C-alpha cells in the first residue's frame, strides 16, 4: 500500500493528524470531487436535470456497494445514514407477542432504545446474550438461547463503538442459519476498515454508514437486505420510490429499494459510490491488514506508558483503540490533543448499551490506512 500516495490523495492529512476515523474519516480526493462536481452541476442546471444527466453515475452506486460487500445490486438501498438504514430494517420485521430479540452486551445504545420501543409496542422480549471470556459475544450462550426457540431476531454489533473488539459475525451467521432465525448486523464501524462479505457472514440484513471508515460523505449510508427475504419485510414508511401507487392501493418494490425514499442527497450517493470504488481498488483485505497492524502498534505503545490503561477486548481487534490515563479526564485529554493538531474522540457510557458499568468513559483513537507511525507518535507526545 502506497501510503504516501494515499496521504497525498487526502487533503486533510496536510492539515491535521486524524485519529478519529470511527467518528468520521477524512475523505479522499475522488470522493470530494464527486460530491462537489454533482453539487456544481445542480447549481448550474437544476437538481432534477442534474440527476437525469448523471443517471448512470447515480445507478453505479448499487453495483459499487454490492461489489464491495459481496452482495447483489438489487439487495442494496441508499439511505441517509446508518441509523436510518438499521431502523428501516428493524422496524420492518413483523414482531409478534412473545417474540424474542437476542442481542449482545456491547450493543449500541441507539439500537437498544429501538428494542425497548418495539418490545413495549409488540409484546416482544429483549434478551442480552452474555460475553465470552474474551469480551465478544459468547457463541455457546447464543446457541443455547437459539435452541430454546421463539427467537425472531438476532441483532449484533459487528464492531462495538467502545472496546476495540470484532464480534464473530460469521459464526453468529452460521448459528442463525441453522436455527432459521433472522440476523441483522450493524456494520457501521466495520465496513471500510475490515473485509466484510455478506455471503460469508450469512446475515440477512446489514446497515452501514458512509462517513466512518468507508471515507464517504456525511449524511450517507446504505442497507443490505438479502434478496430471499425482501418481500417478507414492509418498511415502516413508504413513498413513491419505495412502492408503486395503484389506486386505491399500492405495491412495494420487490427489491431492497423499497427501503429508500424518493428524495435523497444525490451528490452524497454519487460520492458514496466513489468511496466504495476507492476502497475496492485498494482491497478490503489489504485495508484490514494495515488498520489492524497500526492499531496493534498503538496499543503496544500505550500499554508501555506508566499510568495508561488500554481497555480494548476481544481476540480479534479492530482499528478502534480505547484507553485512559490515570488522573486525567478523557475529555481533557481529547481537548489537549486537538490543540496540538491531533484528532481523537471520547467514548461515553451513555453509548455503551448494556455495558455501561464495565466500561468507563475513555479516549478513543481510531486509525486508518492513511495514518502513519509518525501520527501515532504525535498522539503519544500529546498525552499527559
Amino acid at each position: 500500500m502506497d501510503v504516501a500516495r494515499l496521504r497525498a490523495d487526502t487533503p486533510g492529512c496536510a492539515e491535521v493528524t486524524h485519529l478519529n476515523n470511527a467518528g468520521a474519516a477524512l475523505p479522499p480526493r475522488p470522493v470530494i470531487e464527486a460530491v462537489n462536481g454533482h453539487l456544481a452541476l445542480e447549481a448550474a442546471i437544476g437538481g432534477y436535470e442534474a440527476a437525469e444527466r448523471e443517471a448512470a453515475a447515480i445507478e453505479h452506486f448499487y453495483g459499487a456497494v454490492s461489489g464491495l460487500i459481496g452482495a447483489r445490486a438489487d439487495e442494496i438501498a441508499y439511505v441517509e445514514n446508518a441509523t436510518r438504514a438499521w431502523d428501516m430494517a428493524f422496524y420492518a420485521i413483523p414482531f409478534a407477542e412473545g417474540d424474542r430479540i437476542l442481542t449482545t452486551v456491547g450493543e449500541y445504545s441507539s439500537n437498544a432504545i429501538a428494542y425497548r420501543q418495539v418490545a413495549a409496542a409488540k409484546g416482544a422480549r429483549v434478551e442480552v446474550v452474555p460475553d465470552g471470556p474474551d469480551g465478544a459475544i459468547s457463541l455457546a450462550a447464543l446457541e443455547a438461547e437459539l435452541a430454546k426457540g421463539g427467537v425472531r431476531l438476532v441483532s449484533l454489533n459487528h464492531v462495538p463503538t467502545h472496546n476495540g473488539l470484532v464480534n464473530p459475525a460469521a459464526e453468529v451467521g452460521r448459528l442463525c442459519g441453522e436455527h432459521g432465525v433472522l440476523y441483522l448486523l450493524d456494520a457501521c464501524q466495520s465496513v471500510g476498515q475490515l473485509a466484510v462479505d455478506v455471503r460469508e457472514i450469512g446475515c440477512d440484513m446489514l446497515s452501514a454508514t458512509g462517513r466512518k471508515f468507508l471515507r464517504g460523505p456525511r449524511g450517507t449510508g446504505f442497507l443490505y437486505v438479502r434478496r430471499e427475504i425482501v418481500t417478507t419485510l414492509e418498511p415502516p414508511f413508504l413513498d413513491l420510490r419505495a412502492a408503486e401507487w395503484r389506486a386505491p392501493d399500492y405495491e412495494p418494490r420487490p427489491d431492497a429499494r423499497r427501503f429508500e425514499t424518493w428524495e435523497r442527497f444525490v451528490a452524497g450517493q454519487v460520492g458514496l459510490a466513489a468511496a466504495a470504488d476507492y476502497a475496492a481498488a485498494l482491497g478490503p483485505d489489504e485495508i484490514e491488514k494495515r488498520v489492524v497492524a497500526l492499531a496493534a502498534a498503538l496499543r503496544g505503545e500505550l500499554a508501555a506508558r506508566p499510568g495508561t490503561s488500554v481497555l480494548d477486548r476481544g481476540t480479534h481487534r479492530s482499528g478502534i483503540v480505547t484507553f485512559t490515563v490515570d488522573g486525567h479526564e478523557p475529555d481533557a485529554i481529547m481537548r489537549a490533543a486537538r490543540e496540538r493538531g491531533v484528532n481523537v474522540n471520547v467514548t461515553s457510557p451513555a453509548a455503551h448499551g448494556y455495558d455501561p458499568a464495565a466500561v468507563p468513559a475513555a479516549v478513543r483513537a481510531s486509525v486508518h490506512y492513511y495514518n502513519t507511525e509518525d501520527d501515532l507518535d504525535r498522539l503519544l507526545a500529546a498525552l499527559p
Side-chain angles (χ1 to χ4, degrees), residues 139-154:
L139 295 173
L142 174 62
E143 187 167 22
E145 292 301 325
L146 288 168
K148 293 176 183 177
V151 177
R152 182 65 169 147
L153 175 71
V154 171

Side-chain angles (χ1 to χ4, degrees), residues 99-109 111-113 115-116 124-132 135-146 148 151 153-157 162 167 352-356:
D99 281 348
R100 302 170 66 206
I101 301 169
L102 301 184
T103 187
T104 183
V105 174
E107 185 56 286
Y108 190 52
S109 295
N111 298 351
I113 290 169
Y115 301 147
R116 294 307 309 159
R125 303 200 311 270
V126 183
E127 300 173 20
V128 180
V129 179
D131 290 338
I137 187 172
S138 167
L139 295 173
L142 174 62
E143 187 167 22
E145 292 301 325
L146 288 168
K148 293 176 183 177
V151 177
L153 175 71
V154 171
S155 184
L156 185 73
N157 207 292
H162 65 284
N167 271 310
H352 298 171
Y354 304 99
D355 197 18

Side-chain angles (χ1 to χ4, degrees), residues 2-352:
D2 186 346
V3 177
R5 180 185 67 81
L6 295 171
R7 289 177 65 81
D9 216 14
T10 306
C13 286
E15 306 294 330
V16 69
T17 297
H18 192 70
L19 298 171
N20 188 19
N21 297 287
L26 300 175
R29 204 175 304 277
V31 171
I32 299 168
E33 291 172 351
V35 174
N36 289 347
H38 193 85
L39 287 175
L41 186 62
E42 288 185 344
I45 68 171
Y48 285 23
E49 293 76 11
E52 290 178 9
R53 183 179 294 185
E54 294 300 311
I58 295 167
E59 184 67 22
H60 174 65
F61 161 81
Y62 300 98
V65 170
S66 61
L68 182 66
I69 65 169
R72 294 168 286 205
D74 66 312
E75 297 175 315
I76 301 297
Y78 174 64
V79 190
E80 59 264 38
N81 56 65
T83 298
R84 186 58 65 238
W86 187 95
D87 285 344
M88 290 293 281
F90 177 71
Y91 285 98
I93 299 169
F95 290 104
E97 181 82 27
D99 281 348
R100 302 170 66 206
I101 301 169
L102 301 184
T103 187
T104 183
V105 174
E107 185 56 286
Y108 190 52
S109 295
S110 183
N111 298 351
I113 290 169
Y115 301 147
R116 294 307 309 159
Q117 185 185 43
V118 163
K122 303 288 187 178
R125 303 200 311 270
V126 183
E127 300 173 20
V128 180
V129 179
D131 290 338
D134 67 347
I137 187 172
S138 167
L139 295 173
L142 174 62
E143 187 167 22
E145 292 301 325
L146 288 168
K148 293 176 183 177
V151 177
R152 182 65 169 147
L153 175 71
V154 171
S155 184
L156 185 73
N157 207 292
H158 195 185
V159 174
T161 188
H162 65 284
N163 57 20
L165 66 80
V166 180
N167 271 310
E171 290 84 348
V172 171
R174 176 182 58 80
L175 292 173
C176 290
E178 290 174 359
H179 290 270
V181 171
L182 282 176
Y183 177 20
L184 170 58
L185 185 67
D186 182 342
C188 185
Q189 293 286 15
S190 58
V191 172
Q193 69 154 317
L194 306 179
V196 174
D197 188 307
V198 294
R199 303 296 172 207
E200 292 180 6
I201 291 171
C203 56
D204 296 295
M205 300 158 283
L206 177 148
S207 59
T209 185
R211 67 181 162 88
K212 296 181 185 286
F213 291 96
L214 195 49
R215 305 184 66 195
R218 291 199 73 172
T220 66
F222 68 86
L223 174 65
Y224 155 80
V225 182
R226 186 165 61 86
R227 181 186 291 171
E228 291 76 12
I229 70 160
V230 165
T231 57
T232 70
L233 305 172
E234 182 157 330
F237 48 85
L238 298 165
D239 72 355
L240 284 170
R241 170 69 171 179
E244 183 179 352
W245 175 240
R246 296 180 176 178
D249 209 343
Y250 67 91
E251 183 176 340
R253 290 182 62 123
D255 58 13
R257 297 189 206 185
R258 66 171 50 194
F259 294 94
E260 295 185 348
T261 55
W262 188 87
E263 181 55 34
R264 80 270 310 282
F265 177 27
V266 177
Q269 183 169 349
V270 175
L272 187 53
D277 285 339
Y278 199 89
L282 290 175
D285 290 326
E286 289 301 308
I287 290 172
E288 178 174 344
K289 187 169 154 183
R290 177 161 177 80
V291 169
V292 169
L294 277 171
L298 178 56
R299 289 188 190 98
E301 293 287 352
L302 289 167
R305 297 181 80 252
T308 301
S309 300
V310 177
L311 305 181
D312 297 332
R313 295 180 282 178
T315 302
H316 183 193
R317 294 179 177 179
S318 70
I320 296 175
V321 180
T322 56
F323 64 95
T324 57
V325 178
D326 291 349
H328 299 274
E329 290 297 320
D331 278 336
I333 295 173
M334 177 187 70
R335 290 193 298 271
R338 286 183 180 175
E339 288 173 1
R340 299 183 66 171
V342 179
N343 287 346
V344 293
N345 206 352
V346 170
T347 179
S348 165
H352 298 171

